[in-house]
Amino acid sequence: MMIAKYKVRLDRVLSVDFEMTCWDGEPPPGQVSEIIQIGITEIDNETMTRVRSESWYVRNELSEVSPYCTALTGITPAILRKRGIPLGEAGRIIAKKYGSRNKGWLAWGSDKSAIDRDCHVKGVEPFLSNAFFNVGLLYSMVASEGRSVGLDEAAARFGISFEGRPHDAGADADVLAEVWCALGGLIRIPEPSISIVTKPSISLAL
């Protein structure tokens, strides 16, 4: 089986979070969950620090924002009408400003399937690379957890607090970045020590 190859920068990675339309139960007939907010935080992998972050509201096209969704995320229909931009426009901004097609990206869970689906349905050129890492899965493996752990619980274990509202894509991307940096401190491979090998001296008897 052929495996697709991709080249990405190794010194930088993007922490990504999506907020999506949701309901207290099944979606209404004819509606499907879609991304309505994208949060991006860029991380310097060498220093394990956050570099910059930003978020965008994405205009809904396939569903309505339910009262349940508003209570969870703080996103209202009015916010999306006034500040939301099409997914394609958000993708162009992110690709140009963050070089997202040439960097790996992180999410807490299987967010790649959500963005792949939305791009396909809305006819948007993919703007995130195939170098995707599910940090939630990595955390559970490193922590030897036999269950799925939420981002909030993982952050609390590292003593990381939310700087904004939970379920805000920008705040969640920042917290995810901090968790990634904390994990990096646990699993980072130390630099190899360099030993100088000297050749033995040879004396010749004449």
Side-chain angles (χ1 to χ4, degrees):
M1 180 180 67
M2 296 293 293
I3 299 177
K5 295 182 178 179
Y6 46 78
K7 292 183 178 180
V8 294
R9 289 180 58 175
L10 300 179
D11 60 329
R12 295 290 177 92
V13 68
L14 301 177
S15 169
V16 181
D17 187 75
F18 304 127
E19 296 303 324
M20 307 182 65
T21 50
C22 53
W23 300 267
D24 185 13
E26 294 296 318
Q31 297 189 38
V32 294
S33 181
E34 63 184 315
I35 294 169
I36 52 175
Q37 190 187 23
I38 302 173
I40 299 274
T41 300
E42 187 168 7
I43 303 164
D44 185 323
N45 270 337
E46 295 179 352
T47 61
M48 281 298 178
T49 55
R50 287 186 286 163
V51 177
R52 53 181 174 162
S53 59
E54 203 166 349
S55 65
W56 300 264
Y57 290 110
V58 177
R59 192 174 302 154
N60 52 318
E61 301 175 18
L62 308 173
S63 59
E64 296 179 356
V65 179
S66 68
Y68 174 84
C69 184
T70 296
L72 184 67
T73 66
I75 300 172
T76 65
I79 287 176
L80 296 185
R81 283 195 302 270
K82 294 178 181 178
R83 301 169 60 184
I85 58 177
L87 180 64
E89 183 179 345
R92 287 190 292 272
I93 293 171
I94 292 168
K96 182 177 181 179
K97 192 169 184 179
Y98 286 84
S100 55
R101 293 190 178 97
N102 300 314
K103 294 173 184 172
W105 62 287
L106 322 167
W108 194 272
S110 56
D111 288 36
K112 188 176 188 304
S113 60
I115 188 62
D116 285 350
R117 182 187 64 245
D118 274 24
C119 285
H120 174 73
V121 171
K122 297 180 180 182
V124 173
E125 182 181 359
F127 53 90
L128 294 173
S129 75
N130 285 324
F132 168 71
F133 304 90
N134 182 340
V135 183
L137 179 60
L138 175 63
Y139 176 88
S140 294
M141 294 171 67
V142 172
S144 298
E145 292 283 353
R147 61 184 177 86
S148 297
V149 175
L151 176 60
D152 53 349
E153 182 180 344
R157 292 187 182 184
F158 283 119
I160 299 168
S161 58
F162 281 84
E163 297 176 358
R165 175 191 175 116
H167 297 293
D168 172 86
D172 285 1
D174 281 343
V175 170
L176 172 59
E178 292 293 340
V179 170
W180 171 258
C181 292
L183 278 172
L186 293 177
I187 64 178
R188 172 160 282 186
I189 300 172
E191 291 288 337
S193 58
I194 302 175
S195 58
I196 300 176
V197 179
T198 58
K199 295 181 178 180
S201 60
I202 302 175
S203 60
L204 299 177
L206 299 176

